[in-house]
Structure formats: structure tokens, C-alpha cells
Amino acid sequence: MPATASAPRHVADIEREIDAARRSGPLTQILVPPCPALLTRLQQAMAEPEPDLNEVARIANADVAMAATLIRNANGALYAGSAPVVSAGQAMNRLGLQPSAALMSTFLARHAIPVRSAQLAGFWEQSAQRAQALAWVATQMPGLSPELAHSYGLFCHVGLPVLMQSVRGYAGTMMEGRVRRDRSFVETENANHRTDHAVVGALTARAWRLAPVVMAAIRLHHSLESLGSADTEPEVHTLVAAGLLADYLLARRDGLTPEPEWERFGHAACEWLAISADDLGHWQESVCESGALEPA
């Protein structure tokens, strides 16, 4: 199922594609780790119009290491002038509900899908940064949910570690895909394994019951030539475009050259998001100079 081929675009079509490939196609060999029960509970709690703060606190306290992560973040440099917090509840009060839920989601995901390969060093740290950047972008523009944006950013490339765990020779494919110039990384994945990390990421998102639009955006995040087409739900386009923008902002913050996909599709992404050149320059300045996105 190459992402460069005529992949399905509607959310429902992508769901059917993933389910069919899982039953009898190349995804039969993929081992998706089970979604942590605490993450399922957290997703359900946060999906409510008014999340139950007590339920979220119970989830936080159900894992000692996760509670410690919340406390450590609430006692970080940003709050250096405040009295130290000593409980997960106090940490949540200081951080806020949504940031606390984002930290918990990241903690649970990285422990459910551990990364031990040198090829993916820093994977979850980078994913957390992308998720933070996407959530920040969502606060700058109407109509994009920060929670959906964070979820998409966190799981956008989750197909990489899942493939690494499931498919023999995938580490070699990663090395090959990064150095080849005659075809894309995704095309190399498909040539070697008949699937790619966008498809496997969508499979993982479906298995973990992430929002369908997040699952579809993961599936299409390298199918940027179709950005803005009428046969995909607008919310999916918005997530994909915002993800490209977030990666660009992170690259500029870190003094890196943006990915080639930005050079090809950055204008289309900004056009879809209704971001002018002045807006982009202002956002870049905010991120680089004001510390809007501090490294994790």
C-alpha cells in the first residue's frame, strides 16, 4: 500500500483499507502493542465535554512513575519561584488539565512502545516536541483542537518503532531510505516490506482507538500532493498541514534546514491554514525568540 499510490482519502475508506490489510494483507505480520488501559481511561475522560478532574487524578496516581513525571514537570525551571508540589494533584493544579493530560499520554505511549534501536534514538522526545508544537499552533488559529493536534503530533510517526519491532531488516531499510535520492523514504519502505510507517501508524492509531481524523492524518502525512483536495475531510487536511508547519517551526528554532517536504508543500499548507507570510514570520519569531516551544 504505497502512500504515493492512489490511497483512500476519506476517513471511512482509510479505516476499511487498514482493516482489510490487517485481515489478509501486509499488515498481518505487524505486532501492535496493546494500548495501555490507563491511556484508554484517560482518552475517555478527556473526551467528555467537562472532564472529571477526579478521574484524571485517579489515573495519574495509578502509576507511581507517571505521577512522579507530573510532579517533576510542575517543579521545573518554569515554576522556580513557586513552592514545590509534592503530589500529582498539586502538579495538575499547577500545570493545568490539558498539559497534564498531554504529559500523561506521552508517558504512557513511550512506555507501551519502548524504543531501543539506535536508528530511532530520541524518538519519543522528538514526538513529544512535535506534539507540543502542534498544540501551540492550534492555540494560534481557530478551529483546530489542541487536544487533537497534540495527539496527532505524538503519534504521527509511531509506525516507525512498531515496524522496527515487527519486521526483520527494517533497521536496514531506515538506513537505506535516508540515503537514497532516487526515491522517497516511504517508497523504499514499500519496496522492501510492502507497507510503510504511515500505514502502520494508522493501524496503531486504529488499534488504540485514537480519534478517526487523527488516524487518517497519520495515514496521509506523506501524501501531501493531495493537500486540500475535496475528497478528504477538512479536519484531516488541517492536521496534516499543521503538522508540516510545526516541523518547520521546530527546525527553524533549532537552526536546522527544514525538511524537503516543506519546500515542496509548505506554501500549500500555509494556504490551507490561511497563514500569510507575515503570520509565518511572526510565529517563527515567537518560537525562536520568546521560548514558546522550549526543548523537552
Side-chain angles (χ1 to χ4, degrees), residues 18-206:
I18 297 297
D19 292 345
R22 187 60 164 162
R23 287 192 301 270
S24 59
L27 298 186
T28 56
Q29 64 180 317
I30 303 300
L31 301 175
V32 177
C35 182
L38 289 178
L39 183 56
T40 300
R41 282 177 58 188
L42 180 62
Q43 291 168 345
Q44 292 171 343
M46 295 303 296
E48 295 294 327
E50 294 186 11
D52 184 342
L53 301 182
N54 291 326
E55 169 65 359
V56 178
R58 285 191 291 270
I59 295 168
N61 284 302
D63 187 296
V64 173
M66 182 163 62
T69 296
L70 287 172
I71 293 169
R72 183 172 64 252
N73 277 270
N75 287 325
L78 186 63
Y79 307 101
S82 305
V85 302
V86 296
S87 70
Q90 291 176 347
M92 288 174 56
N93 286 335
R94 176 171 291 176
L95 295 169
L97 177 60
Q98 301 297 348
S100 296
L103 281 169
M104 293 162 66
S105 296
T106 302
F107 175 91
L108 291 166
R110 71 185 300 165
H111 284 78
I113 307 177
V115 174
R116 302 183 179 91
S117 169
Q119 295 289 330
L120 289 171
F123 174 82
W124 282 114
E125 290 79 7
Q126 294 166 13
S127 296
Q129 276 290 289
R130 184 183 299 106
Q132 181 189 2
L134 266 156
W136 182 84
V137 166
T139 67
Q140 306 302 304
M141 50 191 302
L144 178 58
S145 158
E147 294 74 39
L148 279 181
H150 184 278
S151 181
Y152 171 58
L154 183 62
F155 290 102
C156 182
H157 293 299
V158 73
L160 294 170
V162 173
L163 277 165
M164 188 70 77
Q165 293 178 11
S166 299
V167 176
R168 176 176 292 186
Y170 187 70
T173 294
M174 287 197 69
M175 289 189 289
E176 177 187 353
R178 286 169 175 167
V179 300
R180 292 194 71 137
R181 294 294 177 264
D182 59 325
R183 64 188 183 193
S184 70
F185 185 89
V186 168
E187 288 170 334
T188 298
E189 289 178 305
N190 277 283
N192 292 354
H193 306 296
R194 296 196 306 128
T195 192
D196 58 66
H197 73 278
V199 174
V200 173
L203 168 67
T204 304
R206 184 145 172 77

Side-chain angles (χ1 to χ4, degrees), residues 242-275:
L244 193 62
L245 173 61
D247 283 342
Y248 168 78
L249 292 173
L250 288 174
R252 300 303 297 174
R253 182 202 66 184
D254 296 337
L256 303 174
T257 302
E259 292 291 330
E261 286 181 328
W262 175 261
E263 299 302 321
R264 293 183 60 196
F265 302 108
H267 177 75
C270 289
E271 193 172 65
W272 175 263
L273 296 171
I275 296 172

Side-chain angles (χ1 to χ4, degrees), residues 232-251:
T232 301
E233 287 83 352
E235 196 168 17
V236 175
H237 285 312
T238 299
L239 284 173
V240 172
L244 193 62
L245 173 61
D247 283 342
Y248 168 78
L249 292 173
L250 288 174

